[in-house]
Amino acid sequence: MALRIFISAFLIIILLYIMRTNYPAIIMTLKGANPYIFCLALFVFIGAITLASLRLKIIIGSQDISININFLEALSLTFIGYFFNNFLPTTIGGDVVKGYYLAKKTGETLHSFASVFVDRVIGLLTMIIMAFVIVTFAGRAVADNMVRWLIYIIMAFSAAMILFMTNKKATKIFSVVLFFLRPIEEKLKRIYNAISGYRHHKALIFQSFFISIISQLLFFMCLGTLAMSIGSPIPIIDILLRMPIISILSLLPSINGLGLREGSTVVFFGPIIGKENAFAVSILWLLVLFVTSIIGGVIYGLSPQFKIKFKEIAKEEVLI
């Protein structure tokens, strides 16, 4: 945890140092941001969250567990997840809270966390596949070499992971790996089987991907709207290509992606709209996440059924 805090703080300090000569321009840009367009971006983001919650409900419903959750519970959990992202490491810290609550509700720890994991993976894969398709058919016309190769590398890694989790032959490879991990062999086997079991729910997976496409498009639209609020629109193609990379980088050890998200936003969108504007967009993006987390905090505070001890959540994160 201390290392993750250090990484976020270090990256923020580095970014602030690099942008030190641009503070006046950044402040002027933020002051000139259109509040109505910003609010529109916030509502679009909430729309994306709402669809993502529907995807989570569908995925949980596929598991053979005694209790499912309704849509309102799924939506509340999603908002609460954003709230706990502020305290737990990386942008998936809130997923631990979702899995923890589902495990308490259903009594099925393994399948509960597997559902949350698969939901997260589908969300990421949707972005990656969309970017890969665009790069494959448009190539040099829409992206520079660095972006194209990063997308190719991420897609190759993703394809390998999908093959590993859905191909029966992969279990043999997995068995070889387990030879070197005997102390936790049984636990890893159960985790692998719980996740790979989704290959038997093809209709559900396709349905989840369809919902995820719309959700991710709304997410991209949110970022584009934030850029419009400061008068620096970003072409939708550039958002589609660069956001998967930024999202993957935000998963690295940090506190809610802080520092990683802002730095990568400047790196990948700076050449398009200027570093000052890209940094301003990253701050507005952070503000959207902050408002969302406040909503999650209010829901958590007003919902006794979601009351869980922070120490137990942190312990669960270590265990998984």
Side-chain angles (χ1 to χ4, degrees):
M1 183 67 172
L3 175 62
R4 291 157 179 170
I5 294 175
F6 171 78
I7 291 174
S8 283
F10 177 75
L11 291 174
I12 285 294
I13 291 172
I14 292 296
L15 182 59
L16 290 175
Y17 178 78
I18 292 173
M19 302 297 297
R20 65 190 184 281
T21 59
N22 305 110
Y23 289 164
I26 294 170
I27 293 173
M28 287 296 293
T29 299
L30 291 172
K31 284 183 176 180
N34 189 311
Y36 298 107
I37 298 179
F38 173 81
C39 289
L40 175 61
L42 178 60
F43 281 117
V44 171
F45 187 73
I46 291 175
I49 289 177
T50 302
L51 282 174
S53 302
L54 177 61
R55 183 186 66 210
L56 176 63
K57 179 188 179 302
I58 291 172
I59 291 173
I60 293 172
S62 73
Q63 290 283 13
D64 297 325
I65 51 182
S66 56
I67 303 176
N68 288 324
I69 64 172
N70 58 44
F71 173 71
L72 187 58
E73 285 178 301
L75 183 60
S76 298
L77 272 179
T78 302
F79 274 108
I80 291 172
Y82 276 95
F83 172 66
F84 276 95
N85 274 343
N86 294 317
F87 311 108
L88 298 177
T90 81
T91 56
I92 62 172
D95 289 348
V96 179
V97 177
K98 297 177 191 176
Y100 183 90
Y101 170 76
L102 290 173
K104 289 293 184 182
K105 184 178 177 69
T106 64
E108 295 283 348
T109 302
L110 184 61
H111 288 91
S112 295
F113 277 98
S115 295
V116 175
F117 175 79
V118 170
D119 175 67
R120 167 67 68 165
V121 168
I122 288 177
L124 288 172
L125 279 177
T126 304
M127 286 195 294
I128 295 167
I129 292 173
M130 290 168 67
F132 177 74
V133 170
I134 293 172
V135 165
T136 300
F137 287 98
R140 298 179 184 276
V142 296
D144 56 42
N145 287 332
M146 181 181 71
V147 171
R148 283 191 299 109
W149 281 109
L150 282 174
I151 291 173
Y152 286 145
I153 291 170
I154 293 173
M155 186 64 212
F157 179 78
S158 301
M161 289 300 297
I162 293 172
L163 181 64
F164 177 69
M165 297 306 302
T166 58
N167 194 308
K168 291 183 179 180
K169 293 181 180 179
T171 56
K172 296 180 180 179
I173 301 174
F174 189 57
S175 298
V176 174
V177 175
L178 289 179
F179 178 79
F180 301 97
L181 301 170
R182 285 192 174 182
I184 55 173
E185 179 178 353
E186 286 305 316
K187 183 176 181 179
L188 289 176
K189 280 184 177 179
R190 285 187 281 113
I191 293 173
Y192 178 85
N193 290 330
I195 296 173
S196 64
Y198 276 93
R199 68 178 183 272
H200 302 301
H201 300 279
K202 293 182 176 62
L204 175 142
I205 294 299
F206 281 116
Q207 184 181 5
S208 299
F209 265 109
F210 177 75
I211 293 173
S212 189
I213 288 173
I214 302 175
S215 175
Q216 296 297 357
L217 286 175
L218 286 175
F219 175 61
F220 296 148
M221 189 185 299
C222 170
L223 186 71
T225 306
L226 289 176
M228 287 177 59
S229 73
I230 62 171
S232 299
I234 303 174
I236 186 63
I237 289 294
D238 290 309
I239 297 176
L240 286 168
L241 292 177
R242 288 162 172 76
M243 279 309 301
I245 302 172
I246 295 173
S247 297
I248 294 296
L249 290 175
S250 297
L251 296 177
L252 297 175
S254 61
I255 299 299
N256 196 14
L258 192 63
L260 291 167
R261 179 179 50 248
E262 290 71 27
S264 55
T265 300
V266 171
V267 170
F268 288 102
F269 289 118
I272 300 171
I273 60 174
K275 291 182 179 180
E276 300 88 349
N277 291 329
F279 188 66
V281 168
S282 74
I283 293 175
L284 293 175
W285 185 4
L286 183 62
L287 183 57
V288 167
L289 294 175
F290 179 70
V291 173
T292 305
S293 70
I294 289 178
I295 296 173
V298 171
I299 294 173
Y300 177 71
L302 297 177
S303 307
Q305 70 270 30
F306 292 117
K307 285 292 183 294
I308 38 186
K309 295 180 180 179
F310 182 79
K311 288 184 178 180
E312 291 183 2
I313 299 174
K315 181 180 179 182
E316 195 72 43
E317 182 194 11
V318 174
L319 291 177
I320 61 172

